Amino acid sequence: MKFDPHQLAALAAILRLGSFEAAASALSVTPSAVSQRIRALEEKVGLALIQRGPPATGTAAGLRLARHAEDVGLLEAQVSRDLALDQGSGPVRVRIAVNADSLATWFLEAMFEVRDVLFDLVIDDQDHSAEWLRRGEVSAAITAHGRPIPGCDAHPLGALRYIATASPRFMKQWFAGGVTPDALSLAPCLTFNAKDQLQQRWIEMQTGMQLAPPTHFLPSSQGFVDAALAAMGWGMNPRALVRKHIDHGDLVPLIPHRPLDVPLSWQVSRVLTPALAPLTRAVRQAAGLGLMPG
């Protein structure tokens, strides 16, 4: 099936901006024209593509078609580069799944190095970001899976090092007798969200036991650090975010020299590998500076 590029552009703009009016403004057409394009596209595919509401969101089919539109833009930009043509249409857009801790520590450096690209980042746990690629909703992802996802190329990047940290006041209150299984089962910990298993993995590494301590759910990398500094709980913090606090004595490792290293890989849809080659180079370079060797 061949798709009308104007209809795809309207769909992508609505899902990116959240309304027909905003999409119309971005495309320099009337809201009525945008509605007509979406209606024609839905009739063509025989499926609803947009869930109309504030904001407008995409159905599974709508999200997949919007991703297709972005992929076409990336491939056309590659052809223009290869033939030294004037791209003329402005920056291309790429949707990527990345974990919050990578974004907070090293991934921005890769984004800074790539020109003429607008990023649409999906934040998800590194153990689950691969699912976005499998569903075809992103073009690339930072994952904790080294094995290539079907249809993708995988590039090992190194490991993001985490340190179980807490404030000295918290250590005195909860771990005065040592970091024992009993103490770990009672001391409040910090958890990013329901997908975050880092604290449980570290506990099992140290004790050989599966414990369920009380937890604060706090979906913010910097919030994790701030909460640890405020003695709210202990948590697995990326070393890059807590190194200075440890050096100054504001935070301490629960057990010295017991980090948790999480290997990461950069996975790219194979059909887009040439088009995303500049971004892949930037990601690998930034990872070489910001991650532990694999």
Side-chain angles (χ1 to χ4, degrees), residues 21-274:
E21 292 75 14
S25 178
L27 296 172
S28 299
V29 298
T30 65
S32 175
V34 170
S35 296
Q36 291 173 11
R37 292 177 186 182
I38 295 303
R39 186 162 52 250
L41 184 57
E42 288 181 327
E43 290 175 355
K44 183 180 184 69
V45 300
L47 295 167
L49 301 176
I50 294 177
Q51 296 172 342
R52 290 160 172 80
T57 57
T59 64
L63 291 170
R64 183 63 187 88
L65 273 177
R67 229 299 304 285
H68 169 73
E70 293 173 358
D71 289 352
V72 169
L74 288 167
L75 293 170
E76 289 179 346
Q78 179 201 353
V79 171
S80 296
R81 289 196 304 269
D82 291 346
L83 300 180
L85 301 176
D86 181 13
Q87 295 184 32
S89 58
V92 295
R93 185 173 300 273
V94 59
R95 197 169 196 226
I96 299 169
V98 59
N99 59 310
D101 289 334
S102 287
L103 183 61
T105 54
W106 66 273
F107 191 75
L108 278 174
E109 296 298 326
M111 295 170 63
F112 294 155
E113 293 299 319
V114 181
R115 299 291 180 264
D116 298 322
V117 171
L118 294 175
F119 291 93
D120 181 1
L121 299 185
V122 174
I123 306 301
D124 205 349
D125 186 271
Q126 63 274 359
D127 290 318
H128 297 268
S129 54
E131 295 304 317
W132 291 84
L133 266 175
R134 288 192 180 96
R135 294 194 300 264
E137 294 181 24
V138 298
S139 300
I142 299 291
T143 80
H145 301 276
R147 181 179 301 175
I149 297 165
C152 297
D153 291 328
H155 305 270
L157 297 176
L160 185 56
R161 172 158 289 185
Y162 289 86
I163 301 176
T165 46
S167 71
R169 178 158 59 99
F170 186 89
M171 295 294 293
K172 183 177 181 180
Q173 178 180 357
W174 293 98
F175 297 117
V179 183
T180 63
D182 287 343
L184 283 169
S185 67
L186 296 174
C189 72
L190 306 170
T191 302
F192 192 88
N193 58 27
K195 296 178 180 180
D196 177 14
Q197 296 296 310
L198 294 180
Q199 286 65 225
Q200 282 69 27
R201 286 170 58 185
W202 187 84
I203 288 174
E204 190 168 358
M205 285 174 55
Q206 311 313 316
T207 68
M209 302 170 65
Q210 294 183 348
L211 305 177
T215 187
H216 300 284
F217 287 96
L218 193 62
S220 165
S221 297
Q222 187 58 49
F224 246 59
V225 178
D226 293 340
L229 289 166
M232 288 180 59
W234 71 271
M236 303 303 297
N237 281 301
R239 185 184 64 166
L241 293 184
V242 296
R243 183 187 293 118
K244 290 183 179 179
H245 295 298
I246 292 174
D247 291 343
H248 294 158
D250 300 322
L251 291 175
V252 295
L254 266 64
I255 303 177
H257 312 301
R258 297 286 183 88
L260 173 64
D261 290 343
V262 177
L264 299 177
S265 67
W266 169 247
Q267 302 222 27
V268 186
S269 173
R270 189 164 295 136
V271 70
L272 295 176
T273 291

